[in-house]
Amino acid sequence: MADSKSEIAADARSLKELDAGIVRCRGCRLWERATQAVCGEGGARATVMLVGEQPGDQEDLTGKPFVGPAGKVLDEALEKAGVDRKDVYVTNAVKHFSWEPRGKRRMHKTPAQQEVAACLDWLLGEIRLITPRLIVCLGGTAVRALLGPKVKVLANRGKFFDSEWGPKILVTVHPSSILRVPPEDRAQAFESLVKDLARIRDL
Ligand code: URA
């Protein structure tokens, strides 16, 4: 019977088994302040996997990936790119919400490299079980997890990479970055994200 994180992730025979390991994971300390782990969502036979950074406040509360403001941008961009979210599997590089208190608010905190590394077993487990043809890295944390620190998002967005995990990897920005650009530049930033995501259909 597998009991270490890497054994469970490597041996799980279904997403259900994998997710059962994820919700119990104590591989780093993020679980202590999170409401729950947020597992990936989508069809077990999806040909495309989208990988974000980590759950945000609303994802932490609902237990579902990309349901907050960044998820709304992602949904709109996918729709405009002609990709049905129901056809893709959506997950994160890190499964627990990393945050720090600011007054009464829980402010997003970029996960430390050690936390990303601790969660990689789960992401690789998802890739092994789903066998997507393409993985889309949404932003720097996902890129660092799967392609390493040398690959910079802005210099490589819209490009495909080969990966040691099997599927091709497409790099683009994180949807939340669109919300941070000045309002006058937002439409163009959104269109650039749509253009990158439309490359999913090149497959
Ligand atoms: N940002 C992410 O990277 N993932 C989510 O699930 C939500 C926001």
Side-chain angles (χ1 to χ4, degrees), residues 38 52-56 59 64-68 70-71 91-92 138 174 176:
V38 177
E53 181 186 72
Q54 58 154 343
E59 290 78 14
K64 294 193 172 298
F66 280 104
V67 292
T91 191
N92 283 301
L138 302 168
H174 194 282
S176 66

Side-chain angles (χ1 to χ4, degrees), residues 83-104:
V83 178
D84 194 334
R85 179 159 167 175
K86 288 200 288 307
D87 294 338
V88 301
Y89 183 87
V90 180
T91 191
N92 283 301
V94 171
K95 312 299 191 212
H96 283 105
F97 181 28
S98 166
W99 62 278
E100 57 194 357
R102 189 153 329 143
K104 286 192 175 152

Side-chain angles (χ1 to χ4, degrees), residues 101-123:
R102 189 153 329 143
K104 286 192 175 152
R105 298 186 64 198
R106 304 192 299 169
M107 296 304 291
H108 163 277
K109 185 172 177 219
T110 302
Q113 191 47 38
Q114 171 253 328
E115 291 155 352
V116 177
C119 235
L120 185 61
D121 285 330
W122 300 125
L123 185 55

Side-chain angles (χ1 to χ4, degrees), residues 17-28:
E17 259 182 56
L18 188 77
D19 290 354
I22 292 173
V23 300
R24 289 196 312 268
C25 185
R26 303 294 181 256
C28 73

Side-chain angles (χ1 to χ4, degrees), residues 167-183:
K168 292 255 181 223
I169 296 187
L170 173 65
V171 171
T172 189
V173 297
H174 194 282
S176 66
S177 67
I178 311 300
L179 300 170
R180 290 193 300 270
V181 298

Side-chain angles (χ1 to χ4, degrees), residues 135-197:
I135 296 172
V136 183
C137 285
L138 302 168
T141 300
V143 168
R144 273 194 301 283
L146 291 175
L147 292 172
K150 292 203 182 118
V151 179
K152 301 296 171 209
V153 174
L154 291 183
N156 290 292
R157 66 179 302 173
K159 290 190 194 154
F160 290 103
F161 287 75
D162 289 324
S163 78
E164 60 186 286
W165 325 115
K168 292 255 181 223
I169 296 187
L170 173 65
V171 171
T172 189
V173 297
H174 194 282
S176 66
S177 67
I178 311 300
L179 300 170
R180 290 193 300 270
V181 298
E184 62 274 22
D185 298 329
R186 207 165 285 162
Q188 204 189 340
F190 179 76
E191 285 311 319
S192 300
L193 173 62
V194 171
K195 191 166 158 233
D196 291 346
L197 292 175

